């Protein structure tokens, strides 16, 4: 709809503005298409493109620190369930702590593998286009 509006805009402005219509349409096009591009860019903020938010960094640097801090606390009401099995006061199975760490490690490995596959695909595409 923006393209349709910008197509008909000069016909609406030619009578009141004359030759200034060219400048007015250029400025309006720049603004509207800029808003359109910005809206498309922020529509999907997480991913692996250049302008996307680095969710892997967020998980690695912030979430891991918080999880490690929570797991290292001495919490008498947890009955040792959140502590690793080798920690003092931890239960014999260490179910939650070990499960959380294993799930995080598996997701990191999957993300790293996906990123490697994408890099290989980009390199292959560049080699084929050359």
């Amino acid at each position: 709809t923006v393209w349709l509006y910008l197509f008909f805009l000069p016909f609406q402005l030619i009578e009141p503005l004359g030759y200034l219509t060219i400048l007015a349409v250029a400025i309006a096009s720049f603004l509207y298409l800029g808003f359109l591009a910005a809206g498309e860019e922020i529509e999907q903020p997480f991913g692996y493109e250049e302008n996307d938010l680095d969710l892997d960094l967020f998980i690695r640097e912030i979430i891991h620190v918080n999880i490690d801090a929570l797991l290292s606390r001495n919490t008498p009401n947890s009955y040792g369930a959140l502590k690793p099995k080798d920690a003092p006061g931890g239960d014999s199975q260490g179910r939650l702590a070990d499960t959380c760490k294993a799930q995080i490690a598996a997701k990191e490995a999957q993300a790293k593998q996906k990123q490697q596959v994408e890099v290989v695909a980009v390199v292959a595409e560049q080699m084929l286009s050359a």
Side-chain angles (χ1 to χ4, degrees), residues 36-56:
L36 186 65
E40 288 175 1
E41 189 64 36
I42 63 173
E43 192 172 302
Q44 297 287 335
F46 303 111
Y48 293 102
E49 294 177 3
E50 185 177 339
N51 291 334
D52 289 339
L53 296 174
D54 192 1
L55 195 57
D56 293 333

Side-chain angles (χ1 to χ4, degrees), residues 86-103:
D86 57 347
D91 66 354
S92 60
Q93 297 173 349
R95 295 179 304 271
L96 289 176
D98 293 337
T99 303
C100 288
K101 287 184 179 181
Q103 288 176 349

Side-chain angles (χ1 to χ4, degrees), residues 113-124:
Q113 184 179 13
K114 182 179 179 183
Q115 190 174 16
Q116 288 173 349
V117 167
E118 289 175 356
V119 167
V120 168
V122 168
V123 169

Side-chain angles (χ1 to χ4, degrees), residues 1-18 20-22 24-25 28 32:
T1 58
V2 171
W3 288 100
L4 190 63
Y5 173 75
L6 292 175
F7 178 77
F8 287 111
L9 185 61
F11 300 111
Q12 297 168 357
L13 298 178
I14 191 71
E15 188 175 321
L17 296 180
L20 288 176
T21 301
I22 298 168
V25 170
Y32 281 119

